[in-house]
């Protein structure tokens, strides 16, 4: 454990974005409710739920860098060492925070998952974008080796249940989920970066581009960039909804794949029937 209350794994990432870098066994115990509860000393005033809730609130307001065991002890009005009776450090806490926010869409929409895969893809994309807007710090997390808790697995289960009517191979179904999430995260990261740039520089987007305008206008008049110079004035209009455009194109692409697979199965069935008849 380091002086700032993180485990060695988390300390290796200065921005605190590594997941699965702490005591993985302990994270899994806490996520799945199999860990031992504090038993010694007076009746505890804290709960793991309160700690995770406070951590998410701090991250939402100030970013992941602001989350530390010392800061949480202040927020919760307790000693820092008391927190260690519940969670080993920031690395494990990050695993709990991640799974906590992944479960929010289920609470917001507890109804049955859609049976039409197109609606499922649409809902998946919008739900993920909403989660990232409410918790932009999720974009800072390295999810390559996520410790899977109940919320993560439930989300995957519901997504696969809704997508099963596509009748794709299992790796392709996972590919659909990854493609949708990657698309959403790309747009969300751009928006988050824009907001962060404004906060860091004090320049609005309009002021930033206005500073470049004289140079860009001269470049367009030079004749070196005919394609860009010939584009319409509304090409980069903020009114164009890139999310809706991209989502509709993704669904259209998946539709083409589903049709392709259906045609392949029909051809195979016809071939088998012909062989049997022959």
């Amino acid at each position: 454990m380091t002086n700032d209350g993180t485990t060695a794994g988390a300390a290796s990432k200065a921005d605190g974005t590594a997941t699965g870098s702490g005591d993985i066994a302990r994270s899994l115990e806490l996520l799945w409710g199999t860990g031992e509860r504090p038993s010694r000393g007076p009746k505890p005033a804290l709960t793991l739920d309160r700690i995770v809730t406070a951590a998410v609130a701090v991250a939402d307001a100030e970013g992941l860098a602001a989350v530390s065991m010392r800061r949480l002890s202040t927020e919760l009005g307790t000693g820092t060492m008391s927190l260690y009776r519940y969670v080993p450090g920031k690395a494990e806490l990050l695993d709990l925070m991640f799974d906590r926010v992944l479960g929010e869409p289920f609470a917001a929409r507890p109804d049955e998952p859609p049976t039409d895969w197109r609606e499922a893809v649409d809902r998946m994309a919008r739900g993920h974008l909403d989660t990232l807007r409410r918790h932009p710090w999720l974009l800072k997390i390295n999810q390559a080796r996520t410790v899977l808790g109940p919320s993560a697995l439930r989300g995957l289960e519901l997504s696969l249940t809704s997508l099963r009517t596509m009748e794709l191979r299992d790796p392709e179904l996972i590919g659909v989920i990854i493609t949708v999430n990657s698309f959403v995260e790309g747009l969300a990261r751009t928006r988050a970066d824009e907001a962060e740039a404004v906060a860091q520089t004090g320049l609005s987007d309009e002021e930033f581009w206005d500073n470049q305008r004289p140079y860009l206008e001269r470049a367009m008049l030079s004749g070196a960039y005919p394609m860009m110079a010939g584009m319409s004035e509304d090409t980069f209009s903020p009114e164009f909804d890139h999310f809706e455009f991209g989502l509709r194109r993704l669904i259209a692409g998946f539709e083409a794949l589903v049709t392709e697979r259906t045609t392949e199965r029909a051809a195979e069935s016809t071939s088998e029937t012909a062989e049997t008849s022959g």
Side-chain angles (χ1 to χ4, degrees):
M1 183 155 321
T2 62
N3 293 332
D4 65 350
T6 61
T7 56
S12 64
K13 292 282 287 183
D15 56 2
T17 60
T19 57
S21 60
D23 185 336
I24 299 176
R26 185 58 177 148
S27 287
L28 289 169
E29 289 174 350
L30 294 170
L31 283 167
W32 291 96
T34 59
E36 295 181 2
R37 270 60 172 182
S39 58
R40 293 182 294 179
K43 183 179 180 179
L46 287 176
T47 63
L48 186 61
D49 181 72
R50 282 191 63 202
I51 295 171
V52 176
T53 299
V56 170
V58 171
D60 287 347
E62 303 176 37
L64 278 182
V67 178
S68 69
M69 302 300 273
R70 184 176 296 107
R71 171 63 183 276
L72 292 179
S73 68
T74 300
E75 294 291 325
L76 294 166
T78 187
T80 303
M81 294 308 297
S82 297
L83 300 181
Y84 295 125
R85 300 174 65 206
Y86 295 85
V87 59
K90 184 172 179 178
E92 295 80 8
L93 179 60
L94 189 58
D95 293 329
L96 301 176
M97 293 166 61
F98 183 73
D99 200 69
R100 165 68 66 83
V101 298
L102 289 184
E104 291 178 352
F106 313 138
R109 182 175 290 198
D111 53 318
E112 291 296 319
T115 55
D116 180 80
W117 67 262
R118 300 163 193 80
E119 181 184 350
V121 170
D122 186 278
R123 184 182 297 188
M124 186 191 313
R126 296 183 192 282
H128 194 37
L129 182 61
D130 182 59
T131 298
L132 293 175
R133 283 174 172 170
R134 286 182 289 109
H135 308 291
W137 52 270
L138 284 171
L139 294 166
K140 302 291 186 179
I141 291 180
N142 182 342
Q143 300 181 31
R145 298 177 63 181
T146 303
V147 178
L148 298 176
S151 294
L153 288 188
R154 186 182 179 194
L156 183 57
E157 177 71 16
L158 290 175
S159 295
L160 291 172
T161 298
S162 297
L163 297 177
R164 69 186 184 283
T165 56
M166 298 178 79
E167 298 186 10
L168 301 178
R169 296 188 301 113
D170 290 347
E172 292 174 333
L173 289 178
I174 296 298
V176 169
I177 295 173
I178 291 175
T179 299
V180 172
N181 285 347
S182 297
F183 161 68
V184 172
E185 287 164 11
L187 287 180
R189 181 169 286 106
T190 297
R191 294 177 181 176
D193 287 346
E194 289 173 351
E196 187 173 341
V198 171
Q200 289 179 347
T201 64
L203 285 176
S204 67
D205 284 342
E206 183 177 18
E207 291 171 329
F208 176 78
W209 292 111
D210 279 346
N211 285 331
Q212 299 190 59
R213 187 182 304 279
Y215 299 91
L216 294 176
E217 289 178 346
R218 283 198 294 271
M220 294 304 103
L221 292 173
S222 69
Y225 310 96
M227 280 298 299
M228 295 188 66
M231 299 182 82
S232 62
E233 292 185 1
D234 66 345
T235 297
F236 298 102
S237 170
E239 295 180 2
F240 185 85
D241 195 330
H242 291 280
F243 174 78
E244 290 293 341
F245 174 80
L247 180 56
R248 298 278 73 79
R249 302 292 72 74
L250 280 180
I251 292 177
F254 294 145
E255 186 107 49
L257 176 60
V258 170
T259 299
E260 179 182 322
R261 291 289 182 270
T262 301
T263 301
E264 291 174 352
R265 285 192 295 271
E268 290 174 358
S269 178
T270 300
S271 178
E272 291 175 358
T273 301
E275 290 178 1
T276 302
S277 300

